[in-house]
Amino acid sequence: MGGFLGFAWNQWTFKPKPLAKDRSLEGTTVLITGGNVGLGLEAAKEIVSHRPNTLILAVRDVEKGQVAKDAIAKESTPPDVNLEVWELDYDSYDSITAFGSRVQALPRLDYVLLNAGLKQMQYTTAKLGHETNLQINHLGTSLVSLQVLPALIKTAKATSKPSRLTIVSSEGHFWIPFKERTAPNILARMDEKDAFGRQMSRYYTTKLLNVLWARELASKVEKRDVVVNAVNPGFCYSGLHRHEKTGIIKLFLWAFGWTTQQGGYCLVDALVQHGDSHGAYLSEQKVVPPSKFVLSEEGKIAQKKIWKETFEIFRKEAPKANISELESNV
Ligand SMILES: NC(=O)c1ccc[n+]([C@@H]2O[C@H](COP(=O)([O-])OP(=O)(O)OC[C@H]3O[C@@H](n4cnc5c(N)ncnc54)[C@H](OP(=O)(O)O)[C@@H]3O)[C@@H](O)[C@H]2O)c1
């Protein structure tokens, strides 16, 4: 929808639903990044209740992942799901590459939910040197998407059924001016402190990059192999808002917020339902148009430019990630 009234209306009137009880995920392998807390954990619980063969929680802190695994096992009724915790830090190319090798050795991978993310309201740089929101939400998510692709495609060919890849974005992608779009190098400009902007604008810009990346990836991958989409989980209670120092966020959550569980329902819905959502953006559990900018000619040019600049960064900074090999899939 985009505008504030639309946002408020949807948050008030729409009630996200879990999957139908009889929706079976039997035999499948599902992977969720950032599955240890928040929306990712709630999505994991919902997935387990539909009995996949294996659920992998890919987390940056394995101890936290283990706690989450125990909580899921305790709550879930079917005890026969193989629950695994894997290490994955979006702020380390070594971690992403090691994770990628592990994923590529999986016998099967049907569903991947790229959910890990953060909202930094102050300018900081990540360990890898990029502005933190840019590193985690865009560069980390994008490199992981390329790492999981071969296993998703292999599984689709073996099962004769498309695998699924969902990238978690936000309605906030509608709400930013995206001034960096005219810079000679968009991502380099986003690393500069004076381009950071106010409040949540940088976070939302990286959520716009999630939509653009999902669309460009979808344009390069056959939908019979992998259905790629982006989802807005809605405005929900979670640790995401921990860096907001004013009380306004509490007021907003009280007035409009969905529960963490409801946000998890939206993620699972985008991941396993909507087989016709290749390249689409989902919100309130349905396919809806993304922002006007995304659909504009300018947006399409920015989408291709960001794709190219992202690959340039990976080639330069992540030599062990076998980018040329990964690029052969797209
Ligand atoms: N909550 C909302 O209202 C809302 C609205 C729109 C979109 N979203 C999106 O929903 C997704 C989940 O957020 P959430 O609300 O559940 O927030 P959250 O509770 O803060 O969870 C974020 C998850 O991302 C992980 N993460 C952060 N940095 C990471 C890194 N360097 N490497 C690997 N994992 C990392 C966190 O791990 P740790 O536990 O180790 O920090 C955690 O598992 C995010 O992509 C967010 O942008 C949320």
Side-chain angles (χ1 to χ4, degrees):
M1 242 213 221
F4 178 75
L5 286 180
F7 158 80
W9 176 256
N10 285 334
Q11 289 286 137
W12 274 330
T13 58
F14 186 76
K15 294 282 161 263
K17 291 173 202 58
L19 293 177
K21 282 207 164 45
D22 60 357
R23 178 70 167 86
S24 170
L25 296 174
E26 223 171 296
T28 63
T29 296
V30 185
L31 189 152
I32 301 180
T33 70
N36 57 298
V37 285
L39 309 186
L41 175 59
E42 291 305 321
K45 289 178 188 168
E46 165 76 340
I47 289 285
V48 163
S49 67
H50 294 271
R51 312 176 78 104
N53 182 64
T54 300
L55 172 63
I56 300 167
L57 304 177
V59 297
R60 69 170 156 178
D61 182 330
V62 173
E63 263 178 48
K64 283 197 212 164
Q66 203 56 45
V67 172
K69 174 182 162 174
D70 294 344
I72 295 169
K74 209 164 145 191
E75 263 188 47
S76 63
T77 23
D80 53 350
V81 177
N82 173 32
L83 271 175
E84 297 189 16
V85 177
W86 289 16
E87 199 257 319
L88 172 63
D89 182 356
Y90 279 21
D91 195 10
S92 158
Y93 293 133
D94 285 346
S95 171
I96 297 177
T97 307
F99 166 81
S101 308
R102 233 176 141 182
V103 167
Q104 282 151 42
L106 278 169
R108 175 170 184 161
L109 183 61
D110 302 82
Y111 298 98
V112 173
L113 178 62
L114 297 183
N115 157 77
L118 50 68
K119 178 167 65 174
Q120 272 291 352
M121 311 267 289
Q122 307 288 333
Y123 181 88
T124 56
T125 49
K127 283 184 284 180
L128 286 165
H130 295 284
E131 187 282 314
T132 306
N133 293 279
L134 179 66
Q135 174 61 49
I136 307 307
N137 298 344
H138 172 62
L139 294 172
T141 300
S142 304
L143 186 53
V144 174
S145 74
L146 297 173
Q147 297 279 350
V148 296
L149 211 52
L152 289 170
I153 294 173
K154 192 176 78 180
T155 303
K157 302 228 183 282
T159 58
S160 305
K161 199 175 153 241
S163 303
R164 303 288 298 261
L165 174 63
T166 293
I167 295 180
V168 181
S169 177
S170 163
E171 182 160 3
H173 88 271
F174 282 84
W175 301 335
I176 27 111
F178 192 30
K179 288 191 185 138
E180 301 88 339
R181 71 186 186 279
T182 54
N185 186 310
I186 296 172
L187 300 184
R189 178 68 185 133
M190 287 178 71
D191 269 337
E192 290 169 358
K193 193 170 179 184
D194 68 315
F196 187 73
R198 296 187 61 232
Q199 301 286 334
M200 289 181 276
S201 73
R202 170 49 54 85
Y203 164 70
Y204 287 147
T205 303
T206 58
K207 292 283 127 183
L208 168 66
L209 299 192
N210 288 155
V211 176
L212 297 177
W213 185 264
R215 287 170 67 87
E216 190 60 18
L217 187 60
S219 75
K220 293 172 186 301
V221 176
E222 295 283 351
K223 65 178 176 205
R224 63 167 181 266
D225 287 338
V226 188
V227 172
V228 180
N229 62 26
V231 62
N232 164 39
F235 178 55
C236 309
Y237 282 87
S238 83
L240 186 79
H241 313 292
R242 65 176 79 81
H243 296 297
E244 304 229 14
K245 299 282 180 250
T246 68
I248 294 172
I249 191 75
K250 285 195 184 131
L251 188 67
F252 260 69
L253 280 165
W254 173 80
F256 305 112
W258 289 343
T259 65
T260 321
Q261 186 181 48
Q262 287 174 317
Y265 291 161
C266 291
L267 301 189
V268 173
D269 173 76
L271 183 67
V272 312
Q273 302 291 88
H274 311 282
D276 56 352
S277 63
H278 191 53
Y281 168 76
L282 290 102
S283 192
E284 296 88 39
Q285 301 187 323
K286 59 182 180 293
V287 171
V288 295
S291 71
K292 280 193 183 135
F293 172 74
V294 170
L295 299 175
S296 69
E297 272 317 303
E298 202 185 3
K300 286 176 193 157
I301 292 166
Q303 180 176 309
K304 297 221 173 288
K305 193 161 153 41
I306 287 159
W307 178 268
K308 195 165 152 264
E309 290 176 5
T310 304
F311 268 90
E312 279 162 11
I313 290 178
F314 293 156
R315 260 189 222 104
K316 195 163 134 214
E317 299 178 9
K320 291 191 215 147
N322 292 327
I323 293 305
S324 315
E325 208 179 303
L326 296 175
E327 206 171 4
S328 65
N329 296 297
V330 289

